[in-house]
Amino acid sequence: MTNLKDKKIRFIGIGGVGVNALCKLAMDSGAEVSGSDAKLNNLCARLMERGVKIYEGEDASQVKGADMVVYSSAIKQDNAELVYAREHNIKALERQQFLREVSKDYSQIVGIAGTHGKTTTTAMLTHILALCGKNFVSMIGGESVDYGNYVNNSSGEMGDVFITEACEYKHNFLSLKPTVAVVTNVECDHPDSYENYDSVREAFDEYLLGAEVKIFAIDRATTNVPVCGVNTGVPINVPVYGANSDCDFAVLVSRGESTRTYVAKLEDGICRLFYDGKYLLGIQLDEACDYNYKNAVFAIVTAEVLGVNPICAARALKTFGGVKRRFERASDIDGKPVYFDFAHHPTEIRCVLERARGYGKVLKVFQPHTYTRTKAYFDDFVDVLGYDDGALVLMPTYAAREKFDASCEHDVLAAAIKDRYGKLDIYVAANSNEALEYVRKYAHKHDVVLFIGAGDIYNIKDEI
């Protein structure tokens, strides 16, 4: 990309994790930055502490004199600052376009994609490279406990590694052109952006096709059919080890005509990793679960592709601190442990509930995220939330970019769950205050409290 030094760049939606990280990279590159967001948050506050001028709301006059505007994909086209930029011929790039441009300064571009697990995998890979002495820049699509959402461990040389989470929303990840493309798994998480599962899979195939190195999972339960990459022409030959378990899965690394296969098996609290039929190493994580071991395998395999000794990678993960909003421990309520998790898709909710049940009876609080997702997977939400002996609190849907839809609001979801699982204790909260009040009243009847959702439910953590 052209030199950013002394360039004046305006970031619209600067409180978003991705845009916020790009702002930090621009600052490190010598740019003069400013920004705006509809509502200021902690990420904004940290930038303001560094002297960045950030405006709450929209102010077109502040774009005057800017060389470039970078905006979040959540920003509407009639945003006053964006309109001003276009009317005055100021270069305006959506977040993923700017991401692609800055990534061109690096010889190795690693994109971590997947419907589930990409943030944790990106954070794990970041931790590995940091402890194993690699020069890199990392754009984490969430907040790592150890590093936040951005790490600059670069030497400034072209040979450094650029790591970024690659999100499939609105096909955004197709703007990125990674040299190493990783896909952890494929499901339809954005029904507002894709017609069906096949269209999602086609997008992931396209994402993989352009990369020199492809890393993706093999579904051994379906005769070794690739979870994605079905149209990449990659030959599949995966050895099978032992009996099936939740952690039994395989990762394929494809580079040109050559392939390498890694198979993982969870036994006795250790995830054992095999490479082409031979035992390679054991992975141990602090308070781990099956899905995090899968994330760890992807991180270790990707690190090895980047030249890191896998033994060093596995040792590094022993000190991995985790990611905020991913089964994050909060203060106790009435002596009961409280956790927050970002899960918002039925598959994610099922995994995190299985993890929480290890502590005993679960009091779960769920905030649906977008009406389109609730409507698309309504029956799945009913099943995953209703099949449990603990109480369930449902909060109003976090609409995000969508308009209110009474046909699939939280009260409708509650009624459907009650019809199918009549004995389940369900409370329909009007707001977060009511939800927290209910939890404080009944936490003592449970062993663990779990707040689930990708919206503003996380704000309850500060109230606790």
Side-chain angles (χ1 to χ4, degrees):
M1 184 175 183
T2 55
N3 192 352
L4 294 181
K5 185 174 175 57
D6 297 327
K7 297 290 185 182
K8 294 181 179 180
I9 307 178
R10 180 74 171 182
F11 290 88
I12 308 175
I14 199 169
V17 174
V19 173
N20 187 273
L22 286 170
C23 177
K24 293 173 182 175
L25 178 60
M27 292 173 67
D28 286 349
S29 302
E32 181 182 332
V33 304
S34 65
S36 63
D37 209 308
K39 186 176 181 180
L40 304 188
N41 57 18
N42 289 336
L43 289 175
C44 295
R46 292 171 202 158
L47 285 178
M48 293 169 73
E49 289 172 359
R50 297 175 60 180
V52 179
K53 295 181 180 179
I54 300 179
Y55 181 83
E56 186 171 53
E58 304 171 21
D59 186 354
S61 67
Q62 296 192 36
V63 185
K64 185 177 181 180
D67 297 301
M68 183 188 302
V69 166
V70 177
Y71 61 99
S72 164
S73 56
I75 298 300
K76 296 180 179 179
Q77 295 303 305
D78 61 355
N79 177 279
E81 297 184 12
L82 186 56
V83 170
Y84 180 93
R86 287 173 172 159
E87 288 179 347
H88 293 80
N89 296 317
I90 298 173
K91 187 176 184 179
L93 296 177
E94 200 165 354
R95 181 198 64 83
Q96 69 272 11
Q97 295 172 318
F98 186 67
L99 177 68
R100 177 180 178 178
E101 291 301 310
V102 296
S103 70
K104 291 178 181 178
D105 290 339
Y106 301 83
S107 59
Q108 296 188 87
I109 305 169
V110 182
I112 310 290
T115 307
H116 319 297
K118 54 184 173 290
T119 299
T120 301
T121 302
T122 305
M124 284 179 166
L125 180 60
T126 298
H127 189 66
I128 289 171
L129 297 193
L131 269 61
C132 294
K134 292 290 286 186
N135 294 121
F136 68 97
V137 167
S138 181
M139 318 291 286
I140 305 172
E143 286 199 82
S144 161
V145 171
D146 300 305
Y147 306 100
N149 63 335
Y150 166 76
V151 178
N152 190 340
N153 193 35
S154 174
S155 66
E157 300 297 327
M158 182 69 180
D160 293 350
V161 179
F162 186 89
I163 307 166
T164 182
E165 181 175 319
C167 181
E168 76 273 19
Y169 176 61
K170 287 187 176 180
H171 297 74
N172 285 345
F173 65 163
L174 297 183
S175 296
L176 187 70
K177 299 301 177 185
T179 57
V180 179
V182 181
V183 175
T184 59
N185 46 62
V186 178
E187 282 195 83
C188 186
D189 186 35
H190 300 285
D192 54 340
S193 299
Y194 296 90
E195 294 181 5
N196 49 41
Y197 171 75
D198 288 340
S199 63
V200 179
R201 185 157 172 165
E202 288 172 3
F204 275 95
D205 285 342
E206 183 178 346
Y207 164 77
L208 282 170
L209 275 170
E212 175 186 347
V213 180
K214 307 169 182 63
I215 304 174
F216 55 92
I218 303 298
D219 186 354
R220 295 171 58 226
T222 54
T223 62
N224 298 338
V225 175
V227 171
C228 69
V230 68
N231 298 321
T232 62
V234 176
I236 307 300
N237 182 18
V238 182
V240 177
Y241 299 93
N244 288 331
S245 74
D246 289 339
C247 194
D248 277 355
F249 78 111
V251 172
L252 192 74
V253 178
S254 171
R255 188 194 300 263
E257 296 297 319
S258 66
T259 60
R260 304 176 70 177
T261 302
Y262 297 80
V263 173
K265 182 173 179 60
L266 182 62
E267 294 178 316
D268 303 323
I270 300 176
C271 191
R272 291 179 169 84
L273 188 61
F274 298 84
Y275 163 60
D276 283 351
K278 297 180 180 180
Y279 177 75
L280 181 62
L281 53 84
I283 308 169
Q284 287 183 292
L285 303 174
D286 185 27
E287 293 191 27
C289 54
D290 290 353
Y291 60 83
N292 261 352
Y293 276 117
K294 292 182 179 182
N295 296 332
V297 170
F298 274 105
I300 290 172
V301 169
T302 305
E304 185 176 25
V305 168
L306 297 173
V308 173
N309 185 303
I311 302 298
C312 179
R315 287 174 180 168
L317 287 183
K318 288 183 178 180
T319 61
F320 176 66
V323 179
K324 293 181 180 180
R325 300 190 73 168
R326 273 64 175 183
F327 212 73
E328 180 186 356
R329 186 76 151 83
S331 300
D332 290 358
I333 293 180
D334 202 10
K336 304 300 180 179
V338 178
Y339 291 86
F340 280 78
D341 199 276
F342 194 71
H344 52 279
H345 183 281
T347 297
E348 296 167 345
I349 296 171
R350 182 174 291 106
C351 288
V352 76
L353 281 176
E354 288 176 359
R355 184 175 183 178
R357 288 185 189 116
Y359 294 84
K361 191 175 181 180
V362 185
L363 196 173
K364 50 189 180 289
V365 183
F366 176 57
Q367 180 189 45
H369 188 270
T370 73
Y371 298 106
T372 53
R373 184 179 286 110
T374 302
K375 183 174 290 186
Y377 305 117
F378 193 85
D379 286 342
D380 295 322
F381 279 116
V382 170
D383 284 337
V384 74
L385 292 170
Y387 186 69
D388 196 13
D389 61 348
L392 169 65
V393 179
L394 288 174
M395 289 173 52
T397 299
Y398 186 80
R401 53 212 168 249
E402 298 179 349
K403 295 181 180 179
F404 175 75
D405 186 347
S407 69
C408 54
E409 236 315 347
H410 68 312
D411 57 334
V412 178
L413 182 60
I417 296 172
K418 198 72 174 178
D419 285 343
R420 193 172 302 179
Y421 300 95
K423 63 180 181 179
L424 182 67
D425 185 10
I426 304 177
Y427 178 69
V428 180
N431 50 50
S432 61
N433 290 334
E434 283 193 8
L436 184 54
E437 182 180 348
Y438 181 94
V439 170
R440 284 177 169 151
K441 186 175 181 179
Y442 294 104
H444 70 280
K445 293 186 176 182
H446 300 77
D447 298 301
V448 62
V449 178
L450 179 63
F451 290 86
I452 319 168
D456 57 7
I457 187 173
Y458 190 64
N459 294 340
I460 295 176
K461 180 174 177 287
D462 290 335
E463 297 179 42
I464 296 174

